[in-house]
Amino acid sequence: GRPKEVTVEHRNVVSLLASTASLYNFASSDVWTMFHSPCFDFSVWEMYGSLLYGGKLVLVPKLIAQDASCYLELLEKEGVTVLNQTPSAFYQLIKHDLEQSSSGLCLRYVIFGGEALSPGKLGDWMRLHPSTCLINMYGITETTVHVTYKEITMEQVAANSSSIGKPIPS
């Protein structure tokens, strides 16, 4: 595609992370992954989310990112607690995670963005990992990644209804 050439100012990134501090209890003990290309605005959330909260950032090699089974191994090995995914990438991860007999994931949050979410596809995974909070976030590059958020509940899963949620508090 043709790049948008959008300038995302540092203060906008800091403002996004300061605004979301009341929604999440991100901490220096969190481990995040840099799964997305630095050309994709979701990577801004991954990089600076981990760094501004003092957490650890695990860079995911392209070959591992393209293999859901290897990616699951990396998530377990590194103790990832905050996972940022497009829904389509997460659906592949779900498939492999459900096939394993035991899972050593220690995810606190899975944050979706970048494309429409189908909550109906999340039910089995949510039952396997009930302590993981699933969040749907929405925004466009021009607004610095995310502007809305919505926690996914089993009610939305059962209805397979997706919502971009409500505005992130400012």
Side-chain angles (χ1 to χ4, degrees):
R2 186 173 165 86
K4 289 184 188 181
E5 299 179 20
V6 173
T7 300
V8 177
E9 296 182 7
H10 293 106
R11 66 185 168 145
N12 293 357
V13 175
V14 172
S15 177
L16 169 66
L17 292 162
S19 297
T20 55
S22 64
L23 303 175
Y24 312 109
N25 57 341
F26 296 140
S28 60
S29 57
D30 280 316
V31 179
W32 301 53
T33 60
M34 174 109 173
F35 176 85
H36 298 94
S37 162
C39 298
F40 182 32
D41 67 349
F42 210 170
S43 69
V44 169
W45 172 258
E46 292 174 313
M47 280 186 291
Y48 295 106
S50 63
L51 297 174
L52 288 176
Y53 285 104
K56 176 181 173 183
L57 180 62
V58 176
L59 302 178
V60 180
K62 185 176 182 179
L63 290 175
I64 290 178
Q66 294 173 337
D67 183 323
S69 196
C70 290
Y71 190 40
L72 272 172
E73 287 178 29
L74 178 123
L75 296 175
E76 291 178 10
K77 178 182 162 214
E78 295 292 341
V80 173
T81 59
V82 180
L83 181 63
N84 300 280
Q85 292 280 269
T86 58
S88 57
F90 193 70
Y91 303 147
Q92 294 301 310
L93 204 61
I94 287 174
K95 180 179 179 263
H96 288 276
D97 191 27
L98 294 175
E99 290 171 357
Q100 292 184 350
S101 57
S102 67
S103 178
L105 294 176
C106 52
L107 295 170
R108 294 185 330 110
Y109 292 102
V110 176
I111 299 170
F112 299 106
E115 60 191 38
L117 178 66
S118 296
K121 296 181 177 182
L122 305 174
D124 290 339
W125 195 89
M126 288 176 74
R127 283 184 277 283
L128 183 62
H129 302 283
S131 63
T132 303
C133 185
L134 304 183
I135 306 288
N136 192 27
M137 295 187 83
Y138 171 80
I140 57 175
T141 304
E142 293 82 354
T143 61
T144 312
V145 192
H146 302 302
V147 293
T148 67
Y149 72 102
K150 171 77 176 161
E151 183 174 345
I152 306 302
T153 65
M154 285 306 262
E155 183 178 290
Q156 276 117 15
V157 169
N160 194 28
S161 66
S162 186
S163 166
I164 61 170
K166 57 187 176 181
I168 294 170
S170 54

